[in-house]
Amino acid sequence: MESRTTEAGRPARPTRRSLLVAGGGAVLAAFTGAGYLAGKAQYQESEDEKDFGSMAGEFDIAHGEQFLPPTSLQNKTGPQSFAFDDQNRFLYTLQIVQGGIELPGEDEVASTAERRKAGDMCVTRLDYSGKNRGHMYLSGFGHGISFGVEPGKRRTHLWVEGEADEKSGYGRTVTRVPFEDGAVLYSSDPDIEHQEPLPGAAVTHPALDLERERVLLSFKEGDEHRYAVYQMEKFRKGSHGPLYELADVWQRQGEFFQGCALYGDYVYQLTGSPYTDDEGENPPSGGGNTYVAAIDLRTGRPAGRQKVTVAPDLDFREPEGIAISVSDGKPSLCVGFSVKSKDRRKLAVYRFTPPAARS
């Protein structure tokens, strides 16, 4: 299904042709602890496809630099995603709660696999030097492939998935919750408001474009991966008419979706998997299979897909999260990697800028 557009070129608000089908064995087979497999291929490049050079949307993916070296999070499990609070210079991360931790109100210790299935996540707040500046737990919310951070004068809020599907561990709703160091929030708490813009969806992941006050929602419609964009304040108040809705035209069979971001006129998405050994499908000698791709909101068309070659020597090097940072009016597209160390996984982040930012 292609992007639905009006005569003016803006994708129109769709008439939902059916409820989203996201439960059952077919969807569960597509989930992994690392992300989830893309559906059937939606687009294949042709000979006359525009040459994007090293660009994906506004960003040059050929020239990256380290933003955060491999850094420990609150728990030992691998990072799932991250998002920026540039106003206060914090980086927030999500990860599955590690096994062996007993949260308040629980009567037994759960394993990491049980935490993943239940949708239990740990939030770590880092400053830009990588120092841990607080954490909290979100129980029953989801998997955390992407999320958003909304800074405020008194309190910072996180936009995350909620009401995790009991079969997959992925969220079905969107929630806006306050960050509070040391707190434990439960998705089932009646004080937590759940937005359900796409009834029946079981794979929903929000992200924010703070400059333009918009919400990006990644979701699955049957076996098709799609995106919807909403006005942020209207969405928060329960108005769910999308500004745009479009297909993931960069899907490739067998690729793992690892996060999404929204900035300007483009949706950005991250795919890839960890290094294997030399005999595997993704050996270090091949430079990895991490890709950043962009989709033009105005047309629903591809706007560049580039292999991420930065930091090829990272141990394990699994792509985990993509986010936008805007500092002093200058945007960066940032990609995270899960890195192996002796006793835990760590998060490393690399950033890419528009060509003009380097001149």
Side-chain angles (χ1 to χ4, degrees), residues 4-318:
R4 307 178 179 99
T5 59
T6 65
E7 292 181 359
R10 169 171 288 190
R13 296 181 181 183
T15 300
R16 307 303 299 176
R17 67 174 185 265
S18 65
L19 289 179
L20 304 182
V21 180
V27 170
L28 292 179
F31 294 134
T32 73
Y36 60 83
L37 283 169
K40 60 185 179 181
Q42 296 295 316
Y43 174 79
Q44 295 295 333
E45 291 180 277
S46 60
E47 292 181 359
D48 61 354
E49 176 61 27
K50 180 180 178 181
D51 180 11
F52 295 99
S54 60
M55 300 291 292
E58 297 183 28
F59 299 96
D60 184 354
I61 307 303
H63 300 88
E65 62 181 6
Q66 186 182 82
F67 178 88
L68 185 74
T71 300
S72 296
L73 306 181
Q74 181 67 27
N75 281 193
K76 296 180 179 181
T77 51
Q80 294 297 324
S81 59
F82 61 95
F84 290 93
D85 172 1
D86 290 306
Q87 177 178 310
N88 300 298
R89 299 183 63 81
F90 288 128
L91 175 69
Y92 290 80
T93 71
L94 287 178
Q95 63 189 138
I96 301 300
V97 177
Q98 72 185 54
I101 291 178
E102 186 174 331
L103 299 178
E106 297 179 340
D107 54 10
E108 60 182 16
V109 174
S111 67
T112 301
E114 290 169 329
R115 293 294 189 189
R116 180 180 293 111
K117 186 176 180 181
D120 296 343
M121 300 186 291
C122 177
V123 182
T124 304
R125 180 175 62 186
L126 304 172
D127 64 25
Y128 282 5
S129 70
K131 186 173 181 178
N132 190 326
R133 296 294 186 177
H135 74 281
M136 67 181 296
Y137 290 99
L138 302 175
S139 178
F141 281 78
H143 194 78
I145 287 181
S146 66
F147 72 109
V149 176
E150 179 190 353
K153 292 183 179 179
R154 296 183 178 180
R155 178 175 281 186
T156 294
H157 285 82
L158 310 178
W159 290 62
V160 297
E161 64 201 90
E163 291 189 353
D165 184 278
E166 62 183 11
K167 295 179 180 179
S168 69
Y170 287 74
R172 298 172 292 185
T173 64
V174 177
T175 69
R176 177 180 178 270
V177 298
F179 177 84
E180 183 178 347
D181 186 21
V184 179
L185 299 183
Y186 294 89
S187 181
S188 58
D189 190 314
D191 291 334
I192 294 178
E193 181 180 356
H194 293 269
Q195 302 276 357
E196 193 173 12
L198 302 165
V203 190
T204 60
H205 308 290
L208 298 180
D209 176 359
L210 293 175
E211 279 203 338
R212 293 160 181 81
E213 298 184 342
R214 298 178 300 180
V215 180
L216 172 67
L217 188 63
S218 165
F219 65 97
K220 294 275 281 189
E221 186 173 37
D223 64 351
E224 185 181 6
H225 180 214
R226 296 185 64 80
Y227 293 105
V229 177
Y230 306 85
Q231 201 281 327
M232 191 170 164
E233 185 62 20
K234 289 183 178 180
F235 188 97
R236 192 172 70 83
K237 293 180 178 180
S239 177
H240 298 146
L243 301 171
Y244 303 91
E245 186 182 345
L246 56 155
D248 171 6
V249 293
W250 283 119
Q251 287 184 21
R252 295 293 187 272
Q253 190 71 35
E255 288 188 336
F256 288 92
F257 176 72
Q258 298 284 13
C260 59
L262 174 66
Y263 185 76
D265 293 321
Y266 302 98
V267 171
Y268 297 91
Q269 68 181 42
L270 181 70
T271 58
S273 54
Y275 280 150
T276 61
D277 57 25
D278 290 339
E279 286 72 39
E281 295 182 353
N282 187 34
S285 59
N289 61 6
T290 298
Y291 285 87
V292 168
I295 306 170
D296 193 320
L297 284 176
R298 299 161 294 184
T299 64
R301 295 291 296 167
R305 170 179 155 103
Q306 308 297 337
K307 186 173 182 177
V308 179
T309 58
V310 69
D313 296 329
L314 289 177
D315 191 10
F316 193 67
R317 197 181 183 269
E318 180 177 16

